[in-house]
Amino acid sequence: MNSPSPVTLDLRELLKSGGEPFSEIMQTVASLAPGQSLRLLAIFKPAPLFAVLANRGFSHTEREIGGGDWEVIFTPADASAESTTPGPSL
């Protein structure tokens, strides 16, 4: 089974204009299909986001792509781990 293509979220212009991208990032994460990754483009290394998305089950890889810009790929943890987590008792 193939994973869906990553969703690309290019925040560079928003960040350059002084915008706050956190809500847009979280809305995009919430809309991802199971197993789908997020490719984030930013004008700085978004280190605080690493812990936020790690708490939601994402690992990441980052690389500087030139001119101070960064590409970060957030990849969801194995979805099968979620299916073994028991739900709340009634």
Side-chain angles (χ1 to χ4, degrees):
M1 183 167 94
N2 292 336
S3 296
S5 297
V7 170
T8 297
L9 187 57
D10 188 343
L11 300 171
R12 293 175 291 185
E13 292 305 315
L14 176 66
L15 291 166
K16 286 176 186 174
S17 69
E20 171 49 61
F22 186 77
S23 62
E24 185 174 350
I25 294 166
M26 299 314 289
Q27 287 174 352
T28 303
V29 167
S31 72
L32 295 174
Q36 191 170 31
S37 298
L38 172 63
R39 177 178 175 248
L40 190 73
L41 300 172
I43 59 173
F44 57 86
K45 182 176 175 179
L49 195 56
F50 300 161
V52 171
L53 291 182
N55 288 336
R56 294 180 173 256
F58 288 82
S59 60
H60 74 277
T61 57
E62 80 250 6
R63 68 185 182 106
E64 192 168 3
I65 55 175
D69 290 352
W70 287 80
E71 175 190 64
V72 183
I73 308 292
F74 291 98
T75 305
D78 184 52
S80 66
E82 291 178 12
S83 65
T84 61
T85 304
S89 299
L90 294 177

